[in-house]
Amino acid sequence: MEYITGFIVDIFIILVGLELFKSSIDKIIHPEIPNISIIIIVLLIIAILAKLWLFLFYKKIAKTIDSSALKSSAYDSISDTISTLVVFISAIVAKVFGITIDGYVSLLVSLFILVTGFKATKEMIDILIGTKPDGEFINEIYEFIKNYPEIVGIHDIMVHDYGPGRKIVSFHAEVPENSDICKAHDVIDEIEQEMYKKFGTITTIHMDPIAVGNKEIEKMKNMVENIVKEIDEEFSIHDFRMTDGGGRVNLIFDLVVTNETKRKREDIEKEVKKKIHDIDNKYYAVVKVEYSFV
């Protein structure tokens, strides 16, 4: 409802801009010297100051509680402030110099309002249909997890934003395969609770056991990582496992590719498998190619 409300306000801003654009054209075609009194001037000044205060108030509260609806209201207030200011300036110019500039200045203001409205609407639509989470927020999660030495690494981060206080986060946390499962579970529970306190997110964490300290597996993992980086520096792997049957060694892992890549997943998978097999024909890659969620 928060985002839908903000979207409706943004649509109203666009409608105001269109109406002002229409009236500005009419004033340019049919200019009139406005009849303005001291009382009207005083009322315009009061209106400008009131709307400016509303803009600053909405902006501050919107930032404090992360409210998209109030952010849209701030856009609406600043549009009203500028529109009223233009009326005030045009009225003063008409009264002092006897000329009307109302139409031309209003036209410029209408364009400003339309640009502001379309920009705000686009931001709201991006949120409603789903958009990439803020990179700074993702980095904060990575830094936060470093406070827990029991967690070797994290991957498959997903963020679903349903409005203030309704941000859902999930990811996979890697723990050593020889960890005490009860202790690891307690750490996961603590992270979920602390993330709610720090970020206000509802967090679900999947625990992934991985081999730590196995030199052969680490060697194979580094080899695969280097191959993947040769294809694209932005690609990465996780959930690496190895099964050695003597004559055949399966290297099992997930390959994360960027959403911006133009290549097909099937082609990337074939290339990775071939490069690994070319190093030694006993190596066989079992690859799951997936796109990054962030």
Side-chain angles (χ1 to χ4, degrees):
M1 287 304 299
E2 176 81 14
Y3 294 145
I4 293 174
T5 303
F7 176 74
I8 293 172
V9 173
D10 294 336
I11 293 299
F12 282 142
I13 293 174
I14 293 175
L15 293 176
V16 169
L18 290 173
E19 184 61 31
L20 183 58
F21 182 86
K22 178 183 175 182
S23 63
S24 299
I25 297 298
D26 184 63
K27 289 177 182 178
I28 292 174
I29 297 173
H30 307 289
E32 292 182 4
I33 300 295
N35 183 17
I36 187 169
S37 65
I38 297 298
I39 295 178
I40 293 177
I41 291 177
V42 171
L43 290 175
L44 286 174
I45 293 174
I46 293 174
I48 291 169
L49 293 176
K51 279 293 183 178
L52 183 60
W53 179 85
L54 273 177
F55 164 69
L56 296 173
F57 175 75
Y58 285 144
K59 185 178 179 181
K60 180 180 179 181
I61 301 301
K63 185 177 181 180
T64 302
I65 66 174
D66 191 23
S67 171
S68 299
L70 287 180
K71 183 179 179 182
S72 296
S73 295
Y75 282 134
D76 180 52
S77 294
I78 194 63
S79 298
D80 285 346
T81 301
I82 295 174
S83 301
T84 310
L85 181 62
V86 166
V87 172
F88 174 73
I89 294 174
S90 300
I92 295 298
V93 170
K95 188 172 183 65
V96 174
F97 299 102
I99 59 175
T100 176
I101 61 171
D102 190 25
Y104 298 99
V105 180
S106 295
L107 184 63
L108 294 176
V109 173
S110 69
L111 294 176
F112 167 78
I113 294 175
L114 286 171
V115 170
T116 301
F118 280 117
K119 181 181 177 182
T121 304
K122 180 183 180 302
E123 291 176 359
M124 203 61 63
I125 290 174
D126 285 344
I127 294 174
L128 286 169
I129 66 175
T131 186
K132 186 176 181 179
D134 180 57
E136 184 177 342
F137 175 64
I138 298 301
N139 290 333
E140 287 179 356
I141 292 178
Y142 277 108
E143 291 300 317
F144 177 77
I145 297 300
K146 289 180 181 179
N147 296 320
Y148 298 87
E150 299 88 352
I151 306 300
V152 178
I154 62 175
H155 57 266
D156 282 352
I157 300 179
M158 299 179 68
V159 179
H160 300 279
D161 192 346
Y162 301 108
R166 294 291 183 273
K167 185 175 287 186
I168 315 297
V169 175
S170 66
F171 57 84
H172 291 207
E174 300 167 351
V175 299
E177 61 183 1
N178 57 355
S179 298
D180 182 320
I181 190 170
C182 291
K183 182 179 179 182
H185 184 269
D186 286 343
V187 172
I188 296 296
D189 278 348
E190 181 183 345
I191 293 174
E192 290 175 344
Q193 294 167 12
E194 291 302 315
M195 284 191 64
Y196 182 78
K197 294 177 183 178
K198 181 175 178 62
F199 302 111
T201 59
I202 301 170
T203 307
T204 301
I205 304 174
H206 172 77
M207 186 167 57
D208 272 348
I210 63 170
V212 176
N214 188 312
K215 293 183 179 180
E216 182 63 20
I217 293 179
E218 288 296 326
K219 177 183 176 182
M220 292 296 100
K221 182 181 179 181
N222 290 335
M223 179 192 76
V224 172
E225 284 179 335
N226 289 333
I227 289 172
V228 168
K229 293 296 183 182
E230 286 176 3
I231 297 174
D232 193 311
E233 190 65 30
E234 297 298 320
F235 291 177
S236 63
I237 67 170
H238 61 79
D239 283 345
F240 185 87
R241 305 182 299 283
M242 184 175 77
T243 59
D244 190 347
R248 178 188 176 105
V249 178
N250 288 328
L251 305 178
I252 309 163
F253 57 92
D254 293 349
L255 171 59
V256 183
V257 302
T258 58
N259 292 290
E260 291 75 19
T261 184
K262 303 299 182 182
R263 302 181 60 183
K264 294 181 179 179
R265 288 195 289 187
E266 296 80 4
D267 295 338
I268 297 172
E269 181 180 344
K270 288 179 182 177
E271 183 176 354
V272 171
K273 287 182 174 180
K274 183 178 184 306
K275 284 181 175 290
I276 291 175
H277 194 64
D278 287 345
I279 292 177
D280 192 318
N281 57 18
K282 73 176 181 179
Y283 294 146
Y284 290 85
V286 181
V287 188
K288 176 187 175 184
V289 181
E290 60 186 31
Y291 290 104
S292 171
F293 297 113
V294 296

